[in-house]
Amino acid sequence: MNELLLMCMIAGRRAAIPAIRVQSVIEIDEITPIPGAPSFIRGLTALRSQALTVIDCTVALGLEPGAMPAQQRAAVVDIEGHLYALLVDAAYDVGEARSEPIEVPGGFGPGWQAAARGMVETDGGPTLLIEVEKLVTAPVAHVAA
């Protein structure tokens, strides 16, 4: 397969986002809440004078949010002309998928089943390959509920 991937941790699990989808990885200091927004949308932040919608990937997966550190890392992605900051526990490397995606094994839960394109082998071991649109446009938190 040899697709370049941003290796990250989401909700304590090894995950990957196709690198071609990632514009940058940023640290977020401040998030301005949006009244009435669904819980997986943490709010808005700014990047070079552009507004980004901040998505809490853990909540979007239908999982309980953990403690939020003072500075949070996020992968910035563009979906249909809109910028989103996908909050991750850590973003630590760019690597290659060493296999084609296979079906996500049971036991990961419905949120991961819905958000992952599959599981791929990487130099770091088996990794869940995330489909970013699933976290943003059709939040799997509702699927998982």
Side-chain angles (χ1 to χ4, degrees), residues 60-81:
L61 289 165
L63 305 170
E64 290 296 316
M68 300 310 289
Q71 289 199 340
Q72 302 170 79
R73 297 208 112 196
V76 177
V77 298
D78 182 318
I79 299 175
E80 298 180 10

PDB file of all heavy atoms in Angstrom, residues 60-81:
ATOM      1  N   ALA A  60     -16.286  12.184  19.561  1.00  0.00           N
ATOM      2  CA  ALA A  60     -16.882  11.816  18.269  1.00  0.00           C
ATOM      3  C   ALA A  60     -16.948  10.301  18.105  1.00  0.00           C
ATOM      4  O   ALA A  60     -17.823   9.791  17.418  1.00  0.00           O
ATOM      5  CB  ALA A  60     -16.101  12.443  17.121  1.00  0.00           C
ATOM      6  N   LEU A  61     -16.042   9.584  18.752  1.00  0.00           N
ATOM      7  CA  LEU A  61     -16.042   8.118  18.712  1.00  0.00           C
ATOM      8  C   LEU A  61     -17.053   7.509  19.690  1.00  0.00           C
ATOM      9  O   LEU A  61     -17.203   6.300  19.752  1.00  0.00           O
ATOM     10  CB  LEU A  61     -14.644   7.573  19.024  1.00  0.00           C
ATOM     11  CG  LEU A  61     -13.616   7.796  17.925  1.00  0.00           C
ATOM     12  CD1 LEU A  61     -12.215   7.553  18.458  1.00  0.00           C
ATOM     13  CD2 LEU A  61     -13.915   6.905  16.734  1.00  0.00           C
ATOM     14  N   GLY A  62     -17.723   8.366  20.461  1.00  0.00           N
ATOM     15  CA  GLY A  62     -18.703   7.872  21.414  1.00  0.00           C
ATOM     16  C   GLY A  62     -18.086   7.430  22.727  1.00  0.00           C
ATOM     17  O   GLY A  62     -18.711   6.714  23.498  1.00  0.00           O
ATOM     18  N   LEU A  63     -16.851   7.876  22.995  1.00  0.00           N
ATOM     19  CA  LEU A  63     -16.135   7.498  24.208  1.00  0.00           C
ATOM     20  C   LEU A  63     -16.144   8.644  25.200  1.00  0.00           C
ATOM     21  O   LEU A  63     -16.382   9.795  24.836  1.00  0.00           O
ATOM     22  CB  LEU A  63     -14.693   7.099  23.865  1.00  0.00           C
ATOM     23  CG  LEU A  63     -14.557   6.003  22.809  1.00  0.00           C
ATOM     24  CD1 LEU A  63     -13.114   5.862  22.373  1.00  0.00           C
ATOM     25  CD2 LEU A  63     -15.096   4.683  23.338  1.00  0.00           C
ATOM     26  N   GLU A  64     -15.842   8.344  26.444  1.00  0.00           N
ATOM     27  CA  GLU A  64     -15.778   9.367  27.485  1.00  0.00           C
ATOM     28  C   GLU A  64     -14.513  10.199  27.304  1.00  0.00           C
ATOM     29  O   GLU A  64     -13.428   9.645  27.125  1.00  0.00           O
ATOM     30  CB  GLU A  64     -15.772   8.727  28.880  1.00  0.00           C
ATOM     31  CG  GLU A  64     -17.088   8.096  29.264  1.00  0.00           C
ATOM     32  CD  GLU A  64     -18.202   9.123  29.380  1.00  0.00           C
ATOM     33  OE1 GLU A  64     -17.980  10.196  29.973  1.00  0.00           O
ATOM     34  OE2 GLU A  64     -19.300   8.843  28.864  1.00  0.00           O
ATOM     35  N   PRO A  65     -14.638  11.532  27.353  1.00  0.00           N
ATOM     36  CA  PRO A  65     -13.444  12.369  27.205  1.00  0.00           C
ATOM     37  C   PRO A  65     -12.529  12.218  28.414  1.00  0.00           C
ATOM     38  O   PRO A  65     -12.994  12.033  29.537  1.00  0.00           O
ATOM     39  CB  PRO A  65     -14.004  13.782  27.092  1.00  0.00           C
ATOM     40  CG  PRO A  65     -15.331  13.722  27.762  1.00  0.00           C
ATOM     41  CD  PRO A  65     -15.840  12.315  27.567  1.00  0.00           C
ATOM     42  N   GLY A  66     -11.238  12.293  28.165  1.00  0.00           N
ATOM     43  CA  GLY A  66     -10.255  12.260  29.249  1.00  0.00           C
ATOM     44  C   GLY A  66      -9.979  13.666  29.733  1.00  0.00           C
ATOM     45  O   GLY A  66     -10.590  14.642  29.276  1.00  0.00           O
ATOM     46  N   ALA A  67      -9.030  13.783  30.642  1.00  0.00           N
ATOM     47  CA  ALA A  67      -8.620  15.100  31.124  1.00  0.00           C
ATOM     48  C   ALA A  67      -7.958  15.854  29.978  1.00  0.00           C
ATOM     49  O   ALA A  67      -7.167  15.288  29.228  1.00  0.00           O
ATOM     50  CB  ALA A  67      -7.656  14.950  32.290  1.00  0.00           C
ATOM     51  N   MET A  68      -8.287  17.110  29.839  1.00  0.00           N
ATOM     52  CA  MET A  68      -7.743  17.912  28.759  1.00  0.00           C
ATOM     53  C   MET A  68      -6.472  18.608  29.233  1.00  0.00           C
ATOM     54  O   MET A  68      -6.506  19.354  30.211  1.00  0.00           O
ATOM     55  CB  MET A  68      -8.772  18.950  28.293  1.00  0.00           C
ATOM     56  CG  MET A  68     -10.073  18.338  27.776  1.00  0.00           C
ATOM     57  SD  MET A  68      -9.883  17.031  26.561  1.00  0.00           S
ATOM     58  CE  MET A  68      -9.350  17.940  25.167  1.00  0.00           C
ATOM     59  N   PRO A  69      -5.343  18.357  28.564  1.00  0.00           N
ATOM     60  CA  PRO A  69      -4.098  19.036  28.936  1.00  0.00           C
ATOM     61  C   PRO A  69      -4.175  20.524  28.601  1.00  0.00           C
ATOM     62  O   PRO A  69      -5.015  20.957  27.817  1.00  0.00           O
ATOM     63  CB  PRO A  69      -3.040  18.328  28.086  1.00  0.00           C
ATOM     64  CG  PRO A  69      -3.791  17.747  26.942  1.00  0.00           C
ATOM     65  CD  PRO A  69      -5.175  17.463  27.432  1.00  0.00           C
ATOM     66  N   ALA A  70      -3.250  21.306  29.179  1.00  0.00           N
ATOM     67  CA  ALA A  70      -3.232  22.750  28.924  1.00  0.00           C
ATOM     68  C   ALA A  70      -3.027  23.031  27.443  1.00  0.00           C
ATOM     69  O   ALA A  70      -3.674  23.897  26.877  1.00  0.00           O
ATOM     70  CB  ALA A  70      -2.139  23.411  29.754  1.00  0.00           C
ATOM     71  N   GLN A  71      -2.102  22.318  26.811  1.00  0.00           N
ATOM     72  CA  GLN A  71      -1.896  22.465  25.378  1.00  0.00           C
ATOM     73  C   GLN A  71      -2.258  21.142  24.715  1.00  0.00           C
ATOM     74  O   GLN A  71      -1.803  20.082  25.139  1.00  0.00           O
ATOM     75  CB  GLN A  71      -0.454  22.820  25.061  1.00  0.00           C
ATOM     76  CG  GLN A  71      -0.111  24.230  25.464  1.00  0.00           C
ATOM     77  CD  GLN A  71       1.127  24.715  24.733  1.00  0.00           C
ATOM     78  OE1 GLN A  71       1.909  23.938  24.236  1.00  0.00           O
ATOM     79  NE2 GLN A  71       1.277  26.032  24.683  1.00  0.00           N
ATOM     80  N   GLN A  72      -3.085  21.241  23.697  1.00  0.00           N
ATOM     81  CA  GLN A  72      -3.568  20.050  23.018  1.00  0.00           C
ATOM     82  C   GLN A  72      -3.057  20.031  21.591  1.00  0.00           C
ATOM     83  O   GLN A  72      -2.937  21.078  20.965  1.00  0.00           O
ATOM     84  CB  GLN A  72      -5.098  20.046  23.028  1.00  0.00           C
ATOM     85  CG  GLN A  72      -5.645  20.094  24.437  1.00  0.00           C
ATOM     86  CD  GLN A  72      -7.126  20.339  24.421  1.00  0.00           C
ATOM     87  OE1 GLN A  72      -7.883  19.422  24.191  1.00  0.00           O
ATOM     88  NE2 GLN A  72      -7.536  21.570  24.655  1.00  0.00           N
ATOM     89  N   ARG A  73      -2.784  18.851  21.070  1.00  0.00           N
ATOM     90  CA  ARG A  73      -2.332  18.702  19.689  1.00  0.00           C
ATOM     91  C   ARG A  73      -3.534  18.380  18.816  1.00  0.00           C
ATOM     92  O   ARG A  73      -4.452  17.693  19.234  1.00  0.00           O
ATOM     93  CB  ARG A  73      -1.317  17.584  19.583  1.00  0.00           C
ATOM     94  CG  ARG A  73      -0.076  17.920  20.404  1.00  0.00           C
ATOM     95  CD  ARG A  73       1.113  17.268  19.856  1.00  0.00           C
ATOM     96  NE  ARG A  73       1.910  18.385  19.359  1.00  0.00           N
ATOM     97  CZ  ARG A  73       2.905  18.281  18.537  1.00  0.00           C
ATOM     98  NH1 ARG A  73       3.245  17.136  18.066  1.00  0.00           N
ATOM     99  NH2 ARG A  73       3.588  19.328  18.146  1.00  0.00           N
ATOM    100  N   ALA A  74      -3.458  18.875  17.590  1.00  0.00           N
ATOM    101  CA  ALA A  74      -4.539  18.622  16.649  1.00  0.00           C
ATOM    102  C   ALA A  74      -3.976  18.516  15.237  1.00  0.00           C
ATOM    103  O   ALA A  74      -3.013  19.194  14.889  1.00  0.00           O
ATOM    104  CB  ALA A  74      -5.568  19.751  16.712  1.00  0.00           C
ATOM    105  N   ALA A  75      -4.599  17.648  14.461  1.00  0.00           N
ATOM    106  CA  ALA A  75      -4.298  17.539  13.042  1.00  0.00           C
ATOM    107  C   ALA A  75      -5.298  18.421  12.306  1.00  0.00           C
ATOM    108  O   ALA A  75      -6.508  18.280  12.496  1.00  0.00           O
ATOM    109  CB  ALA A  75      -4.418  16.089  12.582  1.00  0.00           C
ATOM    110  N   VAL A  76      -4.800  19.333  11.491  1.00  0.00           N
ATOM    111  CA  VAL A  76      -5.664  20.237  10.733  1.00  0.00           C
ATOM    112  C   VAL A  76      -5.959  19.586   9.385  1.00  0.00           C
ATOM    113  O   VAL A  76      -5.040  19.219   8.650  1.00  0.00           O
ATOM    114  CB  VAL A  76      -5.004  21.614  10.537  1.00  0.00           C
ATOM    115  CG1 VAL A  76      -5.881  22.521   9.684  1.00  0.00           C
ATOM    116  CG2 VAL A  76      -4.711  22.261  11.890  1.00  0.00           C
ATOM    117  N   VAL A  77      -7.256  19.438   9.102  1.00  0.00           N
ATOM    118  CA  VAL A  77      -7.687  18.843   7.838  1.00  0.00           C
ATOM    119  C   VAL A  77      -8.691  19.768   7.165  1.00  0.00           C
ATOM    120  O   VAL A  77      -9.376  20.543   7.821  1.00  0.00           O
ATOM    121  CB  VAL A  77      -8.306  17.440   8.042  1.00  0.00           C
ATOM    122  CG1 VAL A  77      -7.289  16.472   8.628  1.00  0.00           C
ATOM    123  CG2 VAL A  77      -9.545  17.494   8.912  1.00  0.00           C
ATOM    124  N   ASP A  78      -8.750  19.665   5.845  1.00  0.00           N
ATOM    125  CA  ASP A  78      -9.698  20.444   5.050  1.00  0.00           C
ATOM    126  C   ASP A  78     -10.718  19.468   4.484  1.00  0.00           C
ATOM    127  O   ASP A  78     -10.358  18.509   3.809  1.00  0.00           O
ATOM    128  CB  ASP A  78      -8.952  21.147   3.908  1.00  0.00           C
ATOM    129  CG  ASP A  78      -9.863  22.020   3.057  1.00  0.00           C
ATOM    130  OD1 ASP A  78     -10.989  21.591   2.742  1.00  0.00           O
ATOM    131  OD2 ASP A  78      -9.440  23.118   2.686  1.00  0.00           O
ATOM    132  N   ILE A  79     -11.984  19.742   4.784  1.00  0.00           N
ATOM    133  CA  ILE A  79     -13.062  18.924   4.241  1.00  0.00           C
ATOM    134  C   ILE A  79     -14.031  19.864   3.544  1.00  0.00           C
ATOM    135  O   ILE A  79     -14.656  20.707   4.186  1.00  0.00           O
ATOM    136  CB  ILE A  79     -13.777  18.108   5.338  1.00  0.00           C
ATOM    137  CG1 ILE A  79     -12.787  17.160   6.011  1.00  0.00           C
ATOM    138  CG2 ILE A  79     -14.957  17.339   4.752  1.00  0.00           C
ATOM    139  CD1 ILE A  79     -13.347  16.393   7.181  1.00  0.00           C
ATOM    140  N   GLU A  80     -14.083  19.727   2.235  1.00  0.00           N
ATOM    141  CA  GLU A  80     -14.968  20.537   1.405  1.00  0.00           C
ATOM    142  C   GLU A  80     -14.806  22.034   1.676  1.00  0.00           C
ATOM    143  O   GLU A  80     -15.782  22.771   1.787  1.00  0.00           O
ATOM    144  CB  GLU A  80     -16.418  20.090   1.583  1.00  0.00           C
ATOM    145  CG  GLU A  80     -16.644  18.663   1.145  1.00  0.00           C
ATOM    146  CD  GLU A  80     -18.079  18.199   1.307  1.00  0.00           C
ATOM    147  OE1 GLU A  80     -18.957  19.039   1.592  1.00  0.00           O
ATOM    148  OE2 GLU A  80     -18.308  16.996   1.144  1.00  0.00           O
ATOM    149  N   GLY A  81     -13.556  22.491   1.813  1.00  0.00           N
ATOM    150  CA  GLY A  81     -13.276  23.902   1.994  1.00  0.00           C
ATOM    151  C   GLY A  81     -13.380  24.420   3.413  1.00  0.00           C
ATOM    152  O   GLY A  81     -13.178  25.603   3.651  1.00  0.00           O
TER     153      GLY A  81
END
